[in-house]
Amino acid sequence: MIARKNILIGLISIPLLLILVTVLAWDANWFKGQATPFLEDIESHSISFNDIEHSLLTPGKIKLNDITLAGPVAKGDIGTLIADVNVLDAFSKNIVVNEIRLLAPRIDIDMQALNDWLAIQTEKPAAEPHGKPGALPVNRIVVKKISIENANFRDTSALQQFLLDNLTLTLKNLNIAENAEIIILQDHAPITASLSIEDITAQGANLGKLSSNITATEKTINIQHFQLASQSSQLALSGTIKNPKEQADIQLGIADSKLNLADFAPLAPELPIPLQGLLSLMGNINAQGELANPQSLISNLSSELKISLDTAKSLLDIESVINSEQGEQAIKLQINDSQISMDEFQGLLKDSPVLPSGNVKLSGLLDARGILENPNSLLQTLSGNLALGLENGKLTGIDINKIVKGFKDSKESDWKDVGSFLVTGPIGILAANIFDLGSGAATSGGETLIPQLRVNGAMDNGAILFKDTALATDKYRLAFDGQVNPAQKTFKNFTFALLDKAGCADIKQTLNGAMSNPSSAIAQSLLDSAIAPISGLLKTLKNSASQCTPFYQGEVVHPGN
């Protein structure tokens, strides 16, 4: 009896002892040699690791230490990989991964080599489909959590496009397969993603810290939180993207955000003026179209935004509303009391023969309808009103005093000088650049001091009707009245007058016709008004202050008053 008992104990203890010895002596690195060949050539890259940590007491947990990547596009330390899998579920053909963690990867990426590789891939013929994919060998694949922690990525090419420092990304609830079919983002609870990057540098611009939280299904991406913040800038938005794979419907809300444009200057080195000042932004943006086709999104853009730019020298305050309908945009701009230093924006006028300087005050309400990608279509429908004032200004490239003196001395018009004055003078300078009038009229060179300028314009479908508009140089005062259509480049009953101290027109001329040919406009004006002779192109009004009817009675005062 005792012998049988000892035999039974021996039969039980020997396998247990063998299992114990196996567990204690188990070394997962025995499989390292078998895995290595599969990792040595992945698109010309190789992956290696130092050792594997695994215990048969916790069979679902595995740790790969010191993983490295080497190749022409990317190289560096992938870090440590930790995986936790439910082993028992595997017996029912269910793969349930509790967690996958990648710790502290440090990867250098050659973006130039990556771009070259992508170009080669696009040139390769597409593989022929082999019919409907077969069923997976497992029923279900679920990954409850994936995280990349404390990662660093940088572009080591000459482009040096980015540097991402201390990146942490977490994905939760990834249902990859169900009933032996791939179902990523289909018919299940939303995937949640959180991303934080402690420091972002892009093309030399330090953009600060990024944090975001997103949930996503196949049909809807919900941006719960997105914030980009540096010491001097903060951009915060939230919103949804519906049907991202088809005709997407984007709805974004921008919280009260402030961007120091100097932070972003390295991203736009080709701009004609330096990025500077504090841009404040708040409102809503809606767009419909294909995410892969930004043009379609612009064509169906609607927004309500409050925008202000403060450069210390300039302050621009705008409220804008854009509504899209049938591929066109209806735009409304409310320009609140603003001031612009022309000196800061001279780079926009670098091709102009006349450069303005000084501080411009402006306000108004503008409406237009057209296509955003075609600014001329908007300019041709521009309506509203605009009030503009200039104090202590200067025009470099034209001597208005010299031109006016020639008028007074000859009592006749030099058509070339009239063209210079009207098309590239103080009223035309802005229009010439916005509406691409060109610089066909020659300028006299020199410069003109403009102590005062006041413009009051009412716009209707691209035509500007000037009323109570005048400027004063240090020697003369001139007033303007009538219509200019920069979109059609025409004058209509546009009158300019040289004023005396009483505001009466000492010299006056009315223009009708093509703006591109001032001489023709003058001749047409003479024909329309049946004025002769041709040599008397300007009417000299020799009226005393007590007898004349003032042409202008606005706030621009006569020089010396």
Side-chain angles (χ1 to χ4, degrees):
M1 190 72 172
I2 295 174
R4 288 181 179 180
K5 184 177 180 181
N6 290 336
I7 292 173
L8 182 60
I9 292 173
L11 291 174
I12 295 174
S13 60
I14 289 174
L16 290 176
L17 182 60
L18 289 174
I19 292 173
L20 179 61
V21 170
T22 302
V23 170
L24 294 177
W26 170 256
D27 186 357
N29 288 290
W30 294 337
F31 299 96
K32 179 179 177 181
Q34 297 179 4
T36 298
F38 296 97
L39 302 176
E40 287 183 341
D41 188 10
I42 303 174
E43 293 290 348
S44 302
H45 288 69
S46 63
I47 298 175
S48 62
F49 55 90
N50 187 19
D51 65 343
I52 304 173
E53 294 183 22
H54 180 262
S55 171
L56 292 179
L57 297 176
T58 54
K61 295 182 178 181
I62 188 171
K63 181 177 180 181
L64 276 66
N65 294 313
D66 302 328
I67 308 172
T68 59
L69 172 68
V73 173
K75 61 182 179 180
D77 298 327
I78 296 179
T80 299
L81 178 67
I82 302 173
D84 183 1
V85 182
N86 288 342
V87 176
L88 295 179
D89 288 309
F91 292 104
S92 57
K93 293 188 176 182
N94 293 323
I95 298 178
V96 179
V97 181
N98 293 320
E99 185 176 25
I100 297 175
R101 298 174 65 196
L102 186 61
L103 307 181
R106 303 286 188 271
I107 304 297
D108 293 341
I109 302 173
D110 188 326
M111 288 302 297
Q112 186 61 62
L114 177 59
N115 292 336
D116 294 342
W117 179 82
L118 291 173
I120 293 173
Q121 302 310 304
T122 56
E123 293 174 359
K124 290 182 178 179
E128 292 293 332
H130 298 286
K132 185 177 179 180
L136 297 174
V138 294
N139 291 327
R140 184 177 180 227
I141 303 175
V142 176
V143 180
K144 294 182 178 180
K145 181 180 179 181
I146 297 178
S147 62
I148 301 174
E149 304 172 23
N150 302 322
N152 287 270
F153 300 95
R154 65 172 180 169
D155 176 13
T156 56
S157 71
L159 302 175
Q160 293 189 346
Q161 291 182 332
F162 63 85
L163 172 63
L164 307 179
D165 186 27
N166 200 5
L167 177 151
T168 296
L169 172 65
T170 301
L171 302 175
K172 295 181 179 179
N173 301 325
L174 278 78
N175 289 265
I176 298 174
E178 191 76 44
N179 297 324
E181 292 184 356
I182 299 294
I183 62 158
I184 295 177
L185 289 176
Q186 298 179 15
D187 303 325
H188 64 82
I191 293 174
T192 64
S194 62
L195 172 67
S196 68
I197 305 175
E198 287 297 324
D199 190 20
I200 301 175
T201 301
Q203 295 181 0
N206 190 341
L207 304 182
K209 178 180 179 179
L210 182 144
S211 62
S212 66
N213 293 297
I214 296 172
T215 60
T217 66
E218 184 182 28
K219 295 294 184 182
T220 303
I221 299 173
N222 183 15
I223 305 172
Q224 299 163 318
H225 164 79
F226 180 95
Q227 185 177 70
L228 183 65
S230 67
Q231 291 184 347
S232 55
S233 297
Q234 178 171 302
L235 173 64
L237 58 85
S238 59
T240 59
I241 303 176
K242 297 180 180 179
N243 300 319
K245 296 169 65 177
E246 302 170 1
Q247 285 293 112
D249 182 359
I250 303 173
Q251 300 182 19
L252 297 178
I254 302 175
D256 188 10
S257 299
K258 298 184 183 301
L259 303 177
N260 184 351
L261 296 184
D263 292 345
F264 302 88
L267 299 177
E270 302 300 323
L271 285 180
I273 58 175
L275 278 179
Q276 59 183 344
L278 188 65
L279 178 69
S280 298
L281 189 64
M282 181 171 63
N284 302 300
I285 298 176
N286 302 324
Q288 292 80 38
E290 298 178 8
L291 294 181
N293 181 10
Q295 201 69 35
S296 68
L297 297 172
I298 294 175
S299 298
N300 296 280
L301 176 69
S302 299
S303 67
E304 292 186 15
L305 295 173
K306 292 184 177 180
I307 305 170
S308 69
L309 175 63
D310 187 351
T311 69
K313 292 183 179 180
S314 299
L315 177 60
L316 183 62
D317 187 0
I318 296 176
E319 297 177 36
S320 70
V321 177
I322 300 176
N323 290 310
S324 293
E325 183 178 344
Q326 297 180 347
E328 288 189 340
Q329 287 76 43
I331 301 176
K332 181 177 181 179
L333 293 180
Q334 173 71 52
I335 305 175
N336 300 318
D337 290 342
S338 300
Q339 175 174 298
I340 296 177
S341 171
M342 297 298 292
D343 296 350
E344 292 184 307
F345 298 92
Q346 282 195 352
L348 297 175
L349 307 174
K350 62 181 181 179
D351 295 327
S352 171
V354 178
L355 292 177
S357 60
N359 294 321
V360 174
K361 294 182 179 180
L362 71 158
S363 62
L365 179 63
L366 304 176
D367 292 279
R369 186 178 185 86
I371 302 173
L372 286 177
E373 307 95 285
N374 181 11
N376 282 333
S377 69
L378 297 170
L379 297 173
Q380 290 172 3
T381 63
L382 187 64
S383 300
N385 59 81
L386 184 67
L388 182 150
L390 174 66
E391 301 289 343
N392 299 320
K394 184 172 73 171
L395 295 176
T396 301
I398 188 169
D399 188 343
I400 295 177
N401 290 331
K402 181 179 178 180
I403 295 173
V404 172
K405 185 177 184 299
F407 291 165
K408 294 191 68 175
D409 290 345
S410 67
K411 300 296 186 295
E412 292 186 359
S413 169
D414 181 323
W415 290 349
K416 183 172 67 174
D417 284 344
V418 170
S420 284
F421 176 63
L422 292 176
V423 179
T424 61
I427 299 300
I429 180 65
L430 189 59
N433 287 276
I434 293 178
F435 295 92
D436 190 28
L437 299 180
S439 55
T443 64
S444 61
E447 64 179 30
T448 306
L449 298 179
I450 308 290
Q452 280 185 294
L453 168 67
R454 296 291 183 272
V455 176
N456 291 287
M459 283 156 280
D460 183 19
N461 288 320
I464 306 173
L465 179 62
F466 291 102
K467 289 290 185 183
D468 295 324
T469 296
L471 70 87
T473 73
D474 53 339
K475 294 182 179 181
Y476 301 104
R477 184 170 56 144
L478 300 101
F480 307 87
D481 186 270
Q483 182 175 294
V484 175
N485 192 322
Q488 298 180 3
K489 303 180 182 179
T490 59
F491 297 112
K492 183 178 180 180
N493 296 326
F494 180 79
T495 302
F496 69 96
L498 176 63
L499 303 177
D500 60 17
K501 290 185 177 182
C504 298
D506 190 17
I507 298 177
K508 183 171 68 173
Q509 178 64 57
T510 299
L511 302 179
N512 284 285
M515 189 180 294
S516 58
N517 189 352
S519 60
S520 175
I522 293 172
Q524 184 62 45
S525 174
L526 293 172
L527 289 173
D528 291 343
S529 57
I531 296 176
I534 292 180
S535 61
L537 296 177
L538 294 176
K539 293 194 297 182
T540 304
L541 306 179
K542 299 180 179 179
N543 296 323
S544 66
S546 61
Q547 295 174 334
C548 77
T549 300
F551 182 86
Y552 175 79
Q553 293 179 299
E555 58 183 292
V556 175
V557 300
H558 204 76
N561 285 4

